[in-house]
Amino acid sequence: MFGKHPLLRNKARALAAVHVERANELFGQARYPEALKHADLAVQLAEDHESLLIRGRVLGRLGRLEDARACDVRIDELRSREQRARARRQG
């Protein structure tokens, strides 16, 4: 969302972490619609493992199983990309 500028990317990740934390709190209180709003914001700011994981958990509790599965698939894609990048760096 914030392109390649490192400062903006870092700010977005920090803000996403705040939304992930809030989504987890709301999830623990069974306030799933509110948790989903924060999880969605987190994914928009930084599509990473943590934001996708909480979004998938919330969607699952809301009975949106296909959407929850899509989060799992995206997490797997991100992991694969990270592993390939690591392998290239190690040569």
Side-chain angles (χ1 to χ4, degrees):
M1 176 176 188
F2 289 96
K4 296 188 180 207
H5 193 283
L7 182 59
L8 291 177
R9 195 169 46 243
N10 289 339
K11 293 263 186 196
R13 284 186 184 136
L15 186 54
V18 170
H19 283 289
V20 167
E21 184 176 331
R22 183 65 179 142
N24 275 311
E25 291 171 5
L26 292 165
F27 183 88
Q29 299 168 6
R31 293 167 58 188
Y32 305 123
E34 292 172 81
L36 182 58
K37 289 178 186 178
H38 286 278
D40 285 342
L41 287 170
V43 170
Q44 289 173 17
L45 289 164
E47 186 183 41
D48 60 13
H49 179 268
E50 290 81 15
S51 60
L52 287 164
L53 184 63
I54 185 60
R55 186 172 190 273
R57 289 177 62 208
V58 174
L59 288 167
R61 286 293 171 102
L62 291 171
R64 293 174 53 187
L65 302 181
E66 285 186 36
D67 292 330
R69 179 68 185 130
C71 289
D72 291 340
V73 168
R74 184 66 183 137
I75 288 170
D76 290 342
E77 290 170 354
L78 291 174
R79 279 190 188 133
S80 293
R81 184 172 47 168
E82 290 168 3
Q83 288 172 348
R84 285 191 307 271
R86 214 173 302 127
R88 278 193 301 271
R89 283 192 303 268
Q90 293 174 350

